[in-house]
Amino acid sequence: MTDSAEQSRADATRARLLDAAVSAFAERGFHGTTTRDIAAAAGLSPAALYVHHRSKEELLYLISRSGHEHVLRLVREAVASSADPATALRRVVHDFVVTHARDHTTTRVVNYELAALSPAHLAEIREIRHHIEQAIRQLVEAGVTAGVFETPDPRMAAAALLSLGVDVGRWYRDGGDLVPEYIAARYAEMALRIVGAR
């Protein structure tokens, strides 16, 4: 087998383990999940997990880092999509909510299992979260400065907007009456009211 074929197979195995870890953490929580649970869900022996990952915590960290980096890119792209703060905010909230609904299993793990990360990994994730929060807050502040938004506390408004989106990952389930696009459109409208859009 060629090196590239071996690498491709190893990458596929790592991806299977990450997918299995997401499902297991979402169902049982980080502390209620064993490495044996993850390996079994991936169709591998328990020892196989350690060939590809150092620990269960490393799996959580990789899932969390990937999820947070994805959201940071999404937020930055949405903020840059329009010079009009209201249009940009509508897009930010829409895209943020759609992602949290469509990927609700992953976002639930990413946002609600943070306490299980090691101190170093948690510090890294908190830094990414800070950049996400900062991007939203600066957008709200820009809207206030431009006279488009009227809110006495842009920081609290930004926190409320993020909380709305993050919470979608907790309660949303596939197959219900509400689809991600519908929720995102309604939340985008609510977001403009939260910031006092004129």
Side-chain angles (χ1 to χ4, degrees):
M1 188 179 286
T2 66
D3 286 347
S4 64
E6 285 178 18
Q7 183 62 47
S8 182
R9 199 173 88 191
D11 289 345
T13 301
R14 276 192 285 278
R16 274 172 50 208
L17 284 164
L18 284 169
D19 288 344
V22 167
S23 298
F25 294 156
E27 183 181 330
R28 299 179 186 92
F30 177 83
H31 294 295
T33 299
T34 66
T35 53
R36 186 176 294 277
D37 294 330
I38 296 166
L44 300 166
S45 71
L49 187 143
Y50 295 105
V51 171
H52 300 283
H53 299 284
R54 284 189 292 255
S55 65
K56 180 175 76 162
E57 189 275 341
E58 183 188 70
L59 283 164
L60 178 62
Y61 161 69
L62 292 172
I63 293 162
S64 189
R65 187 184 71 190
S66 174
H68 281 90
E69 287 175 343
H70 169 72
V71 168
L72 179 58
R73 278 192 307 274
L74 175 151
V75 166
R76 284 179 169 165
E77 286 171 11
V79 167
S81 70
S82 176
D84 172 44
T87 301
L89 183 65
R90 185 183 292 275
R91 164 115 183 250
V92 167
V93 172
H94 176 275
D95 293 357
F96 190 77
V97 170
V98 164
T99 291
H100 280 75
R102 286 187 184 150
D103 301 330
H104 58 90
T105 304
T106 302
T107 58
R108 199 161 56 250
V109 172
V110 165
N111 288 302
Y112 294 103
E113 296 292 340
L114 290 175
L117 291 170
S118 71
H121 286 159
L122 181 58
E124 186 178 333
I125 299 304
R126 281 185 171 152
E127 182 68 16
I128 300 170
R129 289 172 76 91
H130 171 73
H131 290 304
I132 294 167
E133 293 160 6
Q134 184 179 48
I136 303 287
R137 187 181 72 247
Q138 287 174 345
L139 176 58
V140 175
E141 288 170 347
V144 170
T145 300
V148 178
F149 301 155
E150 189 176 311
T151 178
D153 193 336
R155 185 182 190 123
M156 285 301 297
L161 295 172
L162 286 167
S163 294
L164 280 173
V166 165
D167 200 47
V168 170
R170 182 187 57 77
W171 63 260
Y172 183 80
R173 295 295 177 271
D174 296 319
D177 294 341
L178 302 173
V179 296
E181 288 289 340
Y182 177 82
I183 298 165
R186 299 293 77 75
Y187 273 42
E189 291 170 6
M190 285 187 254
L192 293 174
R193 290 200 290 275
I194 287 170
V195 298
R198 297 185 177 200

